[in-house]
Amino acid sequence: WKAKNIAKGVAADPHLQKLALEGKEWAAQQGALDAVPSDKADLGTAVHLATEIYDRFGCRDEAMFAVEELRWEWTPKRREWVSLDSVAAHLDQWILARRRFGIVPVLIEATVCHATAEYAGTMDRAVEIDLPNVAEVIHPGCRLAHVLDVKTGAKVWPDVALQIVGYARATHRWNAATDTVAPLDGLCPDVGIVAALHEDACKAHPPDLRDAWPTFSAALLAWRWQNGLSAHVVGDPLLNPGSLAPW
C-alpha cells in the first residue's frame, strides 16, 4: 500500500519528482505519503477492528462501540475521520457475507511464525467454510481452514497472495495470554481467501498460493540482504603491498 501510494504520488507531482532526482528520495517519499487522504487508511483500520470484534463476540453494537472509542482516541490527531456510517455499512456486508459463504472464523488476529524461515506476523483470521457447495468452489476437495484477509481498497492486487502465503505456511502460533508458542497445523497452504469489503457488497476472491511461496521466500532473502547481510559483503580496500596505500 505504501509503495503504491509513493509511486502514484511522485508520478503525479513535478515537485516531488524534482526532489527525487536531486537525491532527496526520502523527502519525495514523505511528500507522497502526506498527500494520501488519511481517511483511506482510517477506513481500513476501522473496518478491520469492527469485523474483528464482531467475529469475537457476535455483537454488531459492540463492534461499532469499539470503532467509536477508536474515533475518540484518534480524532485529536486528525482534522477529519472516517464516517461511522461507512464503517457500519462495511460491517453489515461482512455479517451478510459470513452467512452467504458459510464463513466460520477459527483464528482471529493470531500472531504466527515460521520456525525455520524466521519470520512472524499477525493474520486477520483463518476460517472454515461450513457450506459444502461454497467450499468446493473456493478449493475443491480441501477441508482445511483457509487464511482470510479483509481488504477495503478499490482493487485486490496480486501481491496479496504473498501476504497470505506467509501466514498459511506458518509453523507455530504465539499465545499472548500465556506467552507461549505452540505448533500450528490445519491451514491450507495452497489457496487463501480475500474478502473485498465495500459499502454495498462483499466479494470473495480465492488467490492461488502455490506460486506465491517461492516468491515470498525469495523476497524474504532479498529483505534480509537489504537489511543487514549486504553490509558485510564489501570489505575494506586492498592495500598496495609496495606503498601500503589503497590501490
Side-chain angles (χ1 to χ4, degrees):
W1 180 87
K2 181 184 290 186
K4 291 183 181 73
N5 281 285
I6 290 171
K8 290 178 182 176
V10 174
D13 189 327
H15 173 65
L16 297 181
Q17 294 170 28
K18 184 173 183 292
L19 288 176
L21 292 172
E22 291 174 347
K24 301 174 182 177
E25 293 90 346
W26 189 87
Q29 167 186 302
Q30 291 305 118
L33 291 177
D34 289 344
V36 178
S38 62
D39 60 343
K40 288 187 177 181
D42 291 346
L43 177 63
T45 300
V47 170
H48 274 79
L49 176 63
T51 56
E52 175 194 347
I53 298 301
Y54 179 82
D55 286 352
R56 289 188 186 280
F57 304 107
C59 178
R60 183 185 184 278
D61 290 343
E62 190 164 350
M64 290 306 301
F65 179 73
V67 173
E68 290 194 47
E69 284 192 319
L70 182 66
R71 178 182 66 168
W72 287 114
E73 177 184 341
W74 281 15
T75 297
K77 304 175 185 178
R78 294 163 165 79
R79 289 175 296 178
E80 297 180 2
W81 204 63
V82 63
S83 161
L84 291 179
D85 288 341
S86 178
V87 178
H90 283 78
L91 176 59
D92 289 340
Q93 289 299 326
W94 173 246
I95 295 171
L96 179 62
R98 281 195 48 175
R99 293 198 301 265
R100 180 185 301 158
F101 299 117
I103 296 172
V104 180
V106 293
L107 291 175
I108 304 168
E109 291 293 322
T111 299
V112 297
C113 65
H114 196 293
T116 55
E118 297 183 340
Y119 66 83
T122 302
M123 68 172 76
D124 280 357
R125 50 188 58 74
V127 304
E128 294 177 347
I129 307 297
D130 68 356
L131 296 179
N133 58 325
V134 176
E136 283 300 302
V137 172
I138 292 175
H139 192 186
C142 181
R143 294 298 176 265
L144 297 171
H146 291 76
V147 176
L148 182 147
D149 200 76
V150 171
K151 297 295 184 187
T152 57
K155 181 177 179 180
V156 177
W157 298 87
D159 52 10
V160 72
L162 300 180
Q163 176 186 7
I164 292 178
V165 77
Y167 302 135
R169 294 275 184 150
T171 60
H172 291 74
R173 179 191 176 194
W174 176 59
N175 186 322
T178 60
D179 193 21
T180 56
V181 176
L184 175 67
D185 54 18
L187 297 182
C188 175
D190 297 329
V191 175
I193 303 174
V194 175
L197 274 182
H198 307 286
E199 290 188 1
D200 57 353
C202 176
K203 298 179 181 178
H205 301 262
D208 190 328
L209 307 180
R210 286 168 290 190
D211 290 336
W213 177 244
T215 306
F216 177 91
S217 300
L220 186 60
L221 289 174
W223 183 89
R224 286 178 177 154
W225 172 268
Q226 185 67 28
N227 290 273
L229 293 178
S230 61
H232 309 291
V233 173
V234 180
D236 294 331
L238 296 175
L239 297 178
N240 185 321
S243 65
L244 297 182
W247 283 349

